[in-house]
Amino acid sequence: QVQLVESGGGLVQAGGSLRLSCRASGSFSRTNAMGWYRQAPGNERELVALATVPGKINYGDSVKGRFTVSRDSAARYKNAIYLQMNDLKPEDTAVYYCKMITYLRDYWGQGTQVTVSS
């Protein structure tokens, strides 16, 4: 059974930083991309950042310059991804979901809450 386990969410003041982690476990086909999406109450799920295997990263317009995605360099943790969030704003408040896109299907994590107070 494939699992994406996220961690690192929490409550932070505006201007602060958080780092989210996501690690995949289980047996799955070739990974084409990993990334992060978020969903605020009443809104649709939106792209935060998506990293493809060749090294290309797409960021959502609202987080460019503030958020950075990185992959784990250790081979045994190749299916791990991190999201460094700096200069957080109240509008960044949402549930953040990790996503893994494989050759056969997509997988989602359970989500981690990020709340930014003003």
Side-chain angles (χ1 to χ4, degrees), residues 1 4 6 10 15 20 23 33-35 38-39 45 59-60 67 69-70 76 87-88 97 107 111:
Q1 183 178 0
L4 299 182
E6 300 137 332
L20 305 184
R23 186 158 292 168
M34 288 190 76
R38 68 186 183 186
Q39 188 167 18
R45 194 169 295 189
Y59 289 97
F67 291 11
V69 152
S70 61
R76 66 184 183 277
D87 189 23
L88 282 160
Y97 296 92
Y107 298 91

Side-chain angles (χ1 to χ4, degrees), residues 19-20 36 51 57 59 68-72 80-84:
R19 186 174 186 256
L20 305 184
W36 294 92
I57 302 175
Y59 289 97
T68 303
V69 152
S70 61
R71 303 285 295 270
D72 200 302
I81 191 167
Y82 308 95
L83 181 66
Q84 179 65 42

Side-chain angles (χ1 to χ4, degrees), residues 10-11 13 26 28 30 48 59 74 86 89 93 98 105-106 116:
L11 173 64
Q13 288 188 332
F28 41 86
R30 184 184 73 240
V48 176
Y59 289 97
N86 297 328
K89 305 176 187 298
T93 295
C98 177
R105 58 162 289 184
D106 299 348
V116 184

Side-chain angles (χ1 to χ4, degrees), residues 21-92:
S21 300
C22 173
R23 186 158 292 168
S25 62
S27 178
F28 41 86
S29 59
R30 184 184 73 240
T31 300
N32 293 327
M34 288 190 76
W36 294 92
Y37 287 73
R38 68 186 183 186
Q39 188 167 18
N43 291 354
E44 294 185 353
R45 194 169 295 189
E46 64 175 1
L47 170 71
V48 176
L50 187 67
T52 58
V53 172
K56 180 180 179 181
I57 302 175
N58 292 317
Y59 289 97
D61 289 340
S62 62
V63 307
K64 287 179 181 177
R66 300 187 297 121
F67 291 11
T68 303
V69 152
S70 61
R71 303 285 295 270
D72 200 302
S73 59
R76 66 184 183 277
Y77 295 132
K78 62 181 178 179
N79 291 109
I81 191 167
Y82 308 95
L83 181 66
Q84 179 65 42
M85 304 184 293
N86 297 328
D87 189 23
L88 282 160
K89 305 176 187 298
E91 51 264 41
D92 294 318

